[in-house]
Amino acid sequence: MAVAQRLKRYLENLQVQYDIVHHERAYTAEHAATSAHVAADQMVVATPLIDRNGVLFALHSLANEVDMEKMAQSTGRRLQLLAVEQIERFFRDCEVSAIPAIGAAYGLKMVVDPSLFQQPQLFVRCGSTEALIKLENAEFRMALVQATEADFVKWSATRVPAAVTSLKHGHHQDVTWEDIADRLQQLYTLPPMPTIAVRILHLVSDPESEISDLARVIEQDPSLAAQILRYARSALFNFPGEINSVQDAVNIVLGFERVANIAMGIASAKAFNIPQNGPLGMDRFWQHSLMCSFLCQQFALQVSREANVDPGLAYLCGLLHNFGWLLMGHLFAPEFKSLNQLAFEQPDTPIHVLERQVFGMGWAQDVMAIGHGTLGGMLLKMWNLPDAVVKCAAMHQATSYQGDQDQYVHLVRLCNTILHNNGIGELDAPCHLESVFLRFGLSVDRGLEIAKEALKSTEELGQFARSIAA
C-alpha cells in the first residue's frame, strides 16, 4: 500500500494530481522527512484537537507547532489536544504511525496555517510508513478546499533540544539531570507521583509509622488493596489461614516494608498510560520487575555484611529500575506503540536496533540517545525516591559504574543478567556473574543456587504481574 484507499479516492474525486515519494520505513514525521530529504517547512503534519463540537485537524509544517492560546483566539473554540490513539478508528486503512494530515478524506474538519500556502511544493504522509505524497502548491490548495485558515502556530522548539544534543555528542560535563528535567518540563507535562504513592513514601520515611497507618492509606484505593490481598494469599507465601484485611496481609504475612514497597510501585505505575500486551506492555514490565525485585531481595538476604545491601531497599531498586521505559511510553505513545508491535513481530531483533528504526529523528530520538535509564533516574529523583533507587534506574545500563550506591546498581545488573539468561526481559548491560558474586561474598555455586531457588517463584509472580497489569 503506497496511498491509503480513502485518501486516494478523496484526491481522485477532487482531481488533485500528486506524486508518490518512496523512502525507507519511518515511524515519525521527522524520520520520514529526513529519509525523503524534505525540508521541515514543506512537510505537512496535523495536530488532532477536540472540543464539544468534535475533532479538528490543525495542519501546519513540521517546523512549527500549535499555540493553543492563538488557536483559541483565532477559532473562538476551547480546543484540547487529542492523543493519536483516540483517532485511530477514523484511519483504519492506514498504518498507525503514518496517519495523513488531510483529515477531510476521513470526514474530519481541518484548519490550516496559511504560511503553508507560501511553499511551492508540500509533502504529506499518506497512510504508509514508506511513502509520502508530493503536491504542487495549486494541487495542495485544491486538496484543502474544505479547510479554514487561521493563525495558530509557533516555531517548534523541540527539533533541536540543545541539552540533549550536547549529551549525544559527549559533552556530559555541561549537562545535568536538572537540565534534562527542565527541558522535559518545558515541553511536556511530566506525570506527578500519584497521591497514594506519595503518602506511602512519607510513611516509609517516618520511623513512627505503624502498620495501621499503612493499611489505611492502601485501603483508600480499592484496586490497590485488592492487589495486596491477592499477593498475600498467593502460593508464593503459602499462608494456611484467613487473610481478611490489608492489615492482616501486612501484619501476618508480608510485613510493613514489603507491603510499602510493592504498594508504592503499583501506585506509582498508575501515573503512566502504557499498553497491557506485547513485549513492552505492562504484563511483561511487571513480570520482569517483580522477578527482579524478588531476586534482588533473595540475594540481599544472603550476601556478606561487608556488601552493605539492605534487603528492603534492594527490593525497591529492582522493582522500579525500569520506570524510564514507562516514561518513554508515556511521552511518546505512538512511537512506543510501534516499537511494541515491531518487537512482537521481530522477537530475534535486539530492542536497541528497533528503537533506532522507530524513534528516527527529532526530540524523541534525542531523548532515546540518553537512554531510558537516565530518564527513569531523573523522574524518580524528581519524585524524591531514595538515592539508591534513583542510581539503579539511571545506571543499570552502565557496564562499569563505580560510585554512590554502586552495590545496588551491580545487584540489579546481576539479577537482570540471570533473568535474561532464563528468558525473562531484555538485557541492556550484561555482567560477569562470577566477578559480581565474588564482590558480594558468594561463590559461583552458591550464587547460582540462590538464583535457581528464586526462579521457582516465576509462575506465581507471573500471575501476580498479570493481575496488576489488568
Side-chain angles (χ1 to χ4, degrees), residues 164-182:
V164 180
T165 299
S166 58
L167 271 178
K168 288 173 63 181
H169 289 86
H171 306 304
H172 297 267
Q173 70 273 16
D174 298 327
V175 182
T176 66
W177 279 4
E178 287 75 15
D179 293 329
I180 300 170
D182 288 345

Side-chain angles (χ1 to χ4, degrees), residues 193 195-215 217-218 250 255-265 267-268 310-317 319-320 383-387 389:
M193 194 178 200
T195 302
I196 293 289
V198 172
R199 291 175 180 169
I200 295 171
L201 182 60
H202 288 167
L203 289 176
V204 172
S205 305
D206 183 357
E208 297 184 3
S209 296
E210 298 180 355
I211 288 174
S212 58
D213 298 323
L214 178 60
V217 170
I218 292 173
V250 180
F256 184 97
E257 189 172 50
R258 190 199 300 265
V259 170
N261 286 338
I262 188 67
M264 185 158 51
S268 296
D310 176 75
L313 187 54
Y315 183 93
L316 192 59
C317 288
L319 190 68
L320 304 185
W383 284 1
N384 293 315
L385 282 157
D387 190 47
V389 178

Side-chain angles (χ1 to χ4, degrees), residues 138-159:
E139 303 297 324
F140 181 72
R141 288 175 180 271
M142 194 181 303
L144 267 61
V145 66
Q146 299 180 32
T148 58
E149 296 183 25
D151 176 19
F152 60 83
V153 299
K154 61 182 177 181
W155 177 75
S156 175
T158 67
R159 302 302 167 201

Side-chain angles (χ1 to χ4, degrees), residues 92-240:
R92 297 189 186 279
D93 62 345
C94 301
E95 293 184 66
V96 174
S97 301
I99 289 176
I102 303 176
Y106 296 83
L108 301 176
K109 294 182 178 180
M110 301 181 295
V111 59
V112 59
D113 169 26
S115 69
L116 287 174
F117 296 131
Q118 299 173 14
Q119 299 297 328
Q121 297 175 331
L122 294 121
F123 297 78
V124 183
R125 305 201 81 183
C126 58
S128 168
T129 53
E130 297 181 330
L132 302 172
I133 58 173
K134 181 178 74 171
L135 301 121
E136 299 298 327
N137 183 290
E139 303 297 324
F140 181 72
R141 288 175 180 271
M142 194 181 303
L144 267 61
V145 66
Q146 299 180 32
T148 58
E149 296 183 25
D151 176 19
F152 60 83
V153 299
K154 61 182 177 181
W155 177 75
S156 175
T158 67
R159 302 302 167 201
V160 188
V164 180
T165 299
S166 58
L167 271 178
K168 288 173 63 181
H169 289 86
H171 306 304
H172 297 267
Q173 70 273 16
D174 298 327
V175 182
T176 66
W177 279 4
E178 287 75 15
D179 293 329
I180 300 170
D182 288 345
R183 184 64 180 166
L184 282 170
Q185 287 174 307
Q186 289 172 17
L187 302 172
Y188 300 97
T189 301
L190 295 184
M193 194 178 200
T195 302
I196 293 289
V198 172
R199 291 175 180 169
I200 295 171
L201 182 60
H202 288 167
L203 289 176
V204 172
S205 305
D206 183 357
E208 297 184 3
S209 296
E210 298 180 355
I211 288 174
S212 58
D213 298 323
L214 178 60
R216 276 196 298 273
V217 170
I218 292 173
E219 286 167 351
Q220 292 174 13
D221 184 333
S223 66
L224 179 58
Q227 298 293 353
I228 297 300
L229 288 171
R230 185 179 289 112
Y231 191 42
R233 292 168 179 161
S234 71
L236 192 66
F237 302 102
N238 204 26
F239 181 71

Side-chain angles (χ1 to χ4, degrees), residues 210-363:
E210 298 180 355
I211 288 174
S212 58
D213 298 323
L214 178 60
R216 276 196 298 273
V217 170
I218 292 173
E219 286 167 351
Q220 292 174 13
D221 184 333
S223 66
L224 179 58
Q227 298 293 353
I228 297 300
L229 288 171
R230 185 179 289 112
Y231 191 42
R233 292 168 179 161
S234 71
L236 192 66
F237 302 102
N238 204 26
F239 181 71
E242 292 287 326
I243 303 171
N244 298 313
S245 66
V246 172
Q247 187 154 331
D248 285 347
V250 180
N251 203 26
I252 302 173
V253 183
L254 301 174
F256 184 97
E257 189 172 50
R258 190 199 300 265
V259 170
N261 286 338
I262 188 67
M264 185 158 51
I266 295 172
S268 296
K270 292 182 178 182
F272 309 99
N273 181 24
I274 304 297
Q276 179 178 345
N277 299 317
L280 303 179
M282 290 302 286
D283 276 353
R284 296 281 186 89
F285 171 83
W286 278 118
Q287 180 191 27
H288 177 262
S289 295
L290 288 170
M291 279 303 305
C292 185
S293 60
F294 183 71
L295 193 53
C296 282
Q297 188 174 55
Q298 297 309 301
F299 275 120
L301 291 168
Q302 301 292 331
V303 300
S304 65
R305 182 172 297 180
E306 290 75 18
N308 191 28
V309 177
D310 176 75
L313 187 54
Y315 183 93
L316 192 59
C317 288
L319 190 68
L320 304 185
H321 78 278
N322 260 338
F323 259 46
W325 267 117
L326 301 186
L327 182 57
M328 286 301 308
H330 181 82
L331 294 180
F332 305 107
E335 293 90 345
F336 190 83
K337 183 174 182 178
S338 296
L339 181 61
N340 194 24
Q341 181 63 31
L342 271 183
F344 174 76
E345 295 172 353
Q346 303 177 36
D348 296 328
T349 304
I351 197 70
H352 68 270
V353 174
L354 300 179
E355 285 174 14
R356 287 198 295 270
Q357 293 181 32
V358 171
F359 285 90
M361 302 293 292
W363 172 233

Side-chain angles (χ1 to χ4, degrees), residues 28-34 38-46 60-65 116 123 154-156 158-159:
T28 65
E30 292 94 333
H31 192 187
T34 301
V38 173
D41 54 4
Q42 291 185 305
M43 181 74 178
V44 182
V45 295
H60 54 89
S61 79
L62 186 60
N64 293 324
E65 61 187 46
L116 287 174
F123 297 78
K154 61 182 177 181
W155 177 75
S156 175
T158 67
R159 302 302 167 201

